[in-house]
Amino acid sequence: MTIPESEGTRRRYESPVREARARRTRAHVVATAGKLFAARGYAGTSMRQIASEAGVSLETVTQTGRKPQLLLAAFRDGFAGDPDAVNLDALAGPAGPADLPAVVSRVAAGVRGSLPIWRAFTTAAAADAEVAAVRAELAVVRRTEIAGRLSAAGLAPEGGSVGRLADAIGLIMSHEAYDHLTAVCGWRHEEYVAWAAAAIQAQLTLDWE
């Protein structure tokens, strides 16, 4: 005898399927937005263009997020491989003692992967106050996170300013530094990684008051 499923049972079983489909759609929209932002710039990309390129409705795109939110999600996706990543854990591993060259290598790979989006981010921030605010908040969060990871790894200067050390490391591992050394100066990615690891190690030996 077959017991017919109630409406509530069907919904309960179908819900994970719908959720998975929604996640895939969102990831596709964010990835498409990232490609367009990188190729055409933030100002040159409209929500309707994103919808057309992704093969979805405009409503689907707007439900995924507003344009500044899509830009941030696309950056996170390029940097950490996750549009919802809010810290370095997905890319660099959990905070705590770690192999510095390996961590630098992983973060540098994220910087390289998100560099086109970051360029669009920077250009947009100069003309759009909302994007500028998102970028500024991202910088504050990243500084706080670097300081926290230094403390968790036992690398914070004793009696000194972990914030200033975090500033120095943030500069070394910044998109701007990577872009200048690789795109302007012609360094290979591997040369940047080696330099960044050595530069950070040198910062750890300084007396940060």
Side-chain angles (χ1 to χ4, degrees), residues 4 7 48 55 60 62-63 66 80-81 88 98 112 115 124 128 159 169:
E7 185 67 21
R48 193 171 298 278
T60 297
T62 57
Q63 287 175 344
R66 296 173 56 251
L88 288 170
R112 176 172 60 178
L115 185 59
D128 188 305
I169 292 175

Side-chain angles (χ1 to χ4, degrees), residues 88-98 103 106 149 152:
L88 288 170
D89 290 359
L91 184 64
V103 171
R106 290 195 291 269
R149 293 179 73 90

Side-chain angles (χ1 to χ4, degrees), residues 55-145:
V56 299
S57 68
L58 179 60
E59 182 182 9
T60 297
V61 174
T62 57
Q63 287 175 344
T64 302
R66 296 173 56 251
K67 194 175 173 183
Q69 295 170 328
L70 285 177
L71 180 62
L72 178 59
F75 168 71
R76 287 172 168 166
D77 190 37
F79 184 67
D82 181 356
D84 298 314
V86 295
N87 54 41
L88 288 170
D89 290 359
L91 184 64
D99 179 14
L100 178 61
V103 171
V104 170
S105 180
R106 290 195 291 269
V107 174
V111 171
R112 176 172 60 178
S114 57
L115 185 59
I117 303 291
W118 186 255
R119 289 170 177 157
F121 219 138
T122 301
T123 301
D128 188 305
E130 187 173 3
V131 176
V134 172
R135 189 175 183 273
E137 182 180 0
L138 193 62
V140 171
V141 170
R142 186 54 44 85
R143 181 183 193 264
T144 301
E145 185 179 11

